């Protein structure tokens, strides 16, 4: 049915300080798109870059009427950039790609073909290895994927990239999930639909530097767990139950000792240890609850996900 008119593919490309990568990306990707039998648009989302990214984008847009840009008023983060792209992409198929060529455009024709064959609603990619990544980062990443899959019903695949192509229905469902604290890998898994996994070998970034420090990634991972799982809260409650039970047993023991052996005043050190230990657990559990309350707080403010200060696309809302 999609064949009567040529289907349209929208590429959403979040860019944050990518002045070196964008020209290479444009060059390589349009080469691939030219070989494909579909209409297309390139929707660059400039996530508050401080370098010349926006100039490069306006320049490309003036030469190529398939190039659109949305430029944020500040850096809102990759998740907001992806969301803004989804809200404003009008293709029958929408794909997300990084600007740094780590998501090979050569895969696009195959991805589109899989979707047009009709059996799948999305084609996602995963890297088969983590070549070129610091070992500690890989180790933490692996533990994160194991943990989040145990504790949440969002199916998050190890090595999954954000690089994926989806049908319109799936994009609309994602746009419908307008939560403020976004974790795309979880959202993709949570909404369901039939996903085809395409493996490929890790490619290193073509220019510029990664925008993710270890700390930023760590916070992102914790956010992902808190957003898609209540298990940490349950752990906190279980800690409480177990500690209450243990203290009850301890109480019986103390009474028993008092009755049978009198009351030698001793055990200062052990008393302090127990108090400190329990205090630590209490603070830890309160911290977990605090994390959830903080998320509830940011959600309840209903702040926009992004603010657009410049764009060349018609009908784009300034805030969204
Ligand atoms: N990015 C963004 N906003 C940010 C950080 C990153 O839009 O705050 C974009 C960045 O320009 C790139 C993509 O997200 O196109 C992936 O970022 P990066 O390559 O730094 O991440 P990595 O591949 O190292 O995980
Ligand atoms: Mg990258």
């Amino acid at each position: 049915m999609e064949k009567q008119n040529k289907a349209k593919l929208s590429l959403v490309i979040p860019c944050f300080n990518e002045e070196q990568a964008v020209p290479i990306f444009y060059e390589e990707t349009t080469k691939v798109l030219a070989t494909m039998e579909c209409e297309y648009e390139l929707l660059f989302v400039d996530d508050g870059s401080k370098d010349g990214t926006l100039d490069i984008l306006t320049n490309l847009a003036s030469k190529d009427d398939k190039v659109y840009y949305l430029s944020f008023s500040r850096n809102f983060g990759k998740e907001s950039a992806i969301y803004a792209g989804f809200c404003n992409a009008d293709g029958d198929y929408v794909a997300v790609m990084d600007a740094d060529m780590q998501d090979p455009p050569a895969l696009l024709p195959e991805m589109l073909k899989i979707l047009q064959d009709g059996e799948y609603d999305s084609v996602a990619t995963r890297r088969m290895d983590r070549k070129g990544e610091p070992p500690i980062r890989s180790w933490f990443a692996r533990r994160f994927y194991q943990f989040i899959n145990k504790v949440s019903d969002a199916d998050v695949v190890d090595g999954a990239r954000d690089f994926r192509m989806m049908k319109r229905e799936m994009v609309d469902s994602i746009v419908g999930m307008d939560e403020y604290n976004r974790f795309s890998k979880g959202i993709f898994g949570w909404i369901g639909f039939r996903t085809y996994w395409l493996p490929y070998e890790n490619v290193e970034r073509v220019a510029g530097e990664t925008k993710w420090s270890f700390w930023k990634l760590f916070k992102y991972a914790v956010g992902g767990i808190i957003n898609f799982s209540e298990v940490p809260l349950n752990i906190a409650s279980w800690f409480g139950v177990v500690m209450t039970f243990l203290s009850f047993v301890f109480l019986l023991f103390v009474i028993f000792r008092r009755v049978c052996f009198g009351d030698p005043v001793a055990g200062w050190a052990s008393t302090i240890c127990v108090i400190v230990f329990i205090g630590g657990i209490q603070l830890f559990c309160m911290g977990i609850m605090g994390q959830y309350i903080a998320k509830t707080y940011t959600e309840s403010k209903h702040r926009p996900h992004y603010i657009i200060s410049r764009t060349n696309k018609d009908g784009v809302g300034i805030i969204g």
Side-chain angles (χ1 to χ4, degrees):
M1 353 161 298
E2 281 128 357
K3 284 274 155 163
Q4 284 148 355
N5 278 327
K6 268 190 187 176
K8 182 171 175 183
L9 170 65
S10 301
L11 294 189
V12 170
I13 310 120
C15 311
F16 177 50
N17 296 342
E18 299 283 9
E19 62 180 3
Q20 289 162 313
V22 167
I24 308 174
F25 175 90
Y26 174 77
E27 187 84 0
E28 296 295 318
T29 309
T30 43
K31 249 188 246 164
V32 175
L33 288 166
T35 65
M36 291 168 64
E37 256 185 59
C38 63
E39 302 275 328
Y40 69 88
E41 64 172 355
L42 297 175
L43 182 54
F44 290 92
V45 185
D46 165 33
D47 185 10
S49 301
K50 295 208 167 62
D51 63 356
T53 305
L54 182 58
D55 295 335
I56 291 175
L57 294 180
T58 45
N59 200 2
L60 285 177
S62 65
K63 284 189 281 195
D64 182 345
D65 63 359
K66 294 190 169 72
V67 172
Y68 295 96
Y69 60 86
L70 311 171
S71 179
F72 286 178
S73 60
R74 66 167 169 88
N75 179 245
F76 280 87
K78 185 182 179 188
E79 290 291 345
S80 303
I82 294 178
Y83 185 67
F86 284 171
C87 291
N88 294 295
D90 40 31
D92 308 296
Y93 301 95
V94 179
V96 198
M97 289 178 85
D98 286 1
D100 60 5
M101 302 299 293
Q102 281 191 296
D103 300 334
L107 294 179
L108 289 171
E110 189 183 348
M111 294 165 90
L112 185 64
K113 181 160 184 314
I114 294 171
L115 290 188
Q116 286 185 324
D117 285 348
E119 198 186 326
Y120 292 96
D121 303 301
S122 91
V123 180
T125 58
R126 61 184 297 192
R127 2 179 227 180
M128 292 179 294
D129 56 273
R130 292 178 169 271
K131 240 188 296 167
E133 196 182 64
I136 316 210
R137 193 161 149 170
S138 305
W139 190 86
F140 272 102
R142 292 239 155 74
R143 297 295 86 72
F144 165 70
Y145 285 110
Q146 275 174 355
F147 186 71
I148 194 161
N149 281 318
K150 274 218 180 86
V151 301
S152 82
D153 35 318
D155 195 8
V156 186
V157 176
D158 185 3
R161 305 239 348 142
D162 288 335
F163 180 29
R164 61 164 69 213
M165 191 186 287
M166 286 164 285
K167 284 189 179 163
R168 176 88 300 204
E169 299 80 39
M170 195 159 163
V171 177
D172 289 343
S173 344
I174 294 171
V175 170
M177 286 181 74
D178 64 346
E179 58 205 64
Y180 186 78
N181 298 292
R182 300 186 74 77
F183 177 63
S184 282
K185 289 190 170 91
I187 293 176
F188 293 145
W190 190 91
I191 56 173
F193 290 94
R194 283 159 304 173
T195 299
Y196 182 91
W197 286 96
L198 201 63
Y200 72 101
E201 265 179 48
N202 196 21
V203 188
E204 289 189 35
R205 146 190 277 291
V206 66
E209 276 179 7
T210 175
K211 311 293 179 296
W212 295 88
S213 63
F214 183 79
W215 179 234
K216 214 171 154 191
L217 264 182
F218 183 76
K219 283 202 296 194
Y220 183 63
V222 172
I225 292 168
I226 302 276
N227 286 335
F228 278 92
S229 167
E230 278 137 38
V231 169
L233 275 180
N234 298 341
I235 293 176
S237 322
W238 277 110
F239 255 144
V241 171
V242 170
M243 289 315 290
T244 314
F245 177 72
L246 288 182
S247 59
F248 183 67
V249 172
F250 189 60
L251 186 80
L252 290 180
F253 167 72
V254 170
I255 295 175
F256 174 75
R257 198 176 61 168
R258 169 78 180 80
V259 171
C260 298
F261 305 104
D263 188 15
V265 181
W268 237 102
S270 57
T271 313
I272 294 295
C273 286
V274 170
I275 291 177
V276 169
F277 177 62
I278 295 182
I281 289 182
Q282 280 176 335
L283 284 182
F284 175 70
C285 294
M286 272 163 65
I288 293 179
M289 280 169 226
Q291 290 286 322
Y292 283 89
I293 294 173
K295 295 279 177 206
T296 316
Y297 177 60
T298 51
E299 292 293 345
S300 69
K301 284 193 282 195
H302 294 296
R303 292 224 169 125
H305 301 82
Y306 57 83
I307 299 174
I308 293 176
S309 59
R310 277 181 191 77
T311 176
N312 65 336
K313 199 166 165 75
D314 291 336
V316 167
I318 298 299
I319 55 179

